[in-house]
Amino acid sequence: MFTFKIAETIYKELPKLKSFISISQLTSNVGKLQIRNYASPPKRFYKNTGILRTENKFEVCLDERRLKTPNGNIFTVESEPLALAVAAEWNAQKDKIIQSSMHLTMLCNSALDNPNNLTKYDVISYIVNYLDTDTILYQSDNEEELFKLQTQEWDPIIDWFNKLHGLNLKKCIHMDVPAISDQDKNLLTKHLLSYNFECLFGLMYGVDTLKSVILTLACVEKYIIPQKAVLLSRLEEEYQTGLWGRVEWAHDLNQQDLQARLSAVILFVYFNSQSTNVQSKQKNQ
């Protein structure tokens, strides 16, 4: 009878579960719900890496093989520096290919394959609505020292962000939901529309990495460096480890992984924002 009740409860909750899955799929391909592969990583099967120009795009070559995406599409990007950076990631692999260490490759693959068929407006909507749960807008005065630290480190960035984009974002205390006005969301949407799809895809990955729209854009605008952004996104955790001690290998690995991911985002957005068209000179010039 007990087992039957459990099964009956799960069956009733299936519609909610399906709804949750459909929402989660929005970011499943940018690192949020990645399926872990416990198989042994593949061996390196190539000796050299390079890039090849085809029309106005660039491909990555592994020996004589053209690199492809997980969906089988030819890997092509419009930025030569980005192609060189991806080739460098593949060249840095040793005896085995550790795909989890190639953040730029992953970002390019996800943007090229776009398995969820996201549009530019889907991505912008996701980023803008993330403001409702932005890490640095949630502060707590339950612990005086922590609140003082949050005020000291987070408030100047919120003020800078508001001035830059003409917004009126305010932090909340005691876990109240911050009041993000439609006007503020519209202004941020207008700003994000200036980015192309690839840049927006990178920004979405950065937001998921830091759990903060504000910190991600602060990095893109070169107001803070990635290392600082990661520390600010982990401010409460860093405060607690300062009180109770630090598990060096665990905390350090997590911090370094976040820094690597965010640094890849910044490069990805930067490279996709630059024009790489080269016009050859005519012979009579």
Side-chain angles (χ1 to χ4, degrees), residues 84-134:
L84 288 169
V86 170
E89 282 189 333
W90 284 87
N91 192 50
Q93 303 305 301
K94 303 302 180 182
D95 295 334
K96 294 186 177 181
I97 301 173
I98 310 300
Q99 297 184 14
S100 60
S101 67
M102 295 189 287
H103 301 300
L104 281 173
T105 301
M106 184 275 296
L107 277 169
C108 292
N109 285 339
S110 298
L112 288 169
D113 286 343
N114 192 13
N116 291 319
N117 296 317
L118 299 177
T119 66
K120 184 175 181 178
Y121 296 97
D122 291 331
V123 179
I124 289 176
S125 177
Y126 178 81
I127 295 173
V128 171
N129 289 326
Y130 210 106
L131 274 177
D132 295 324
T133 56
D134 197 291

Side-chain angles (χ1 to χ4, degrees), residues 155-171:
D155 283 9
I157 296 180
I158 297 173
D159 292 340
W160 166 84
F161 191 75
N162 281 331
K163 291 178 181 178
L164 181 66
H165 298 290
L167 308 180
N168 190 33
L169 302 180
K170 297 180 180 179
K171 66 181 182 182

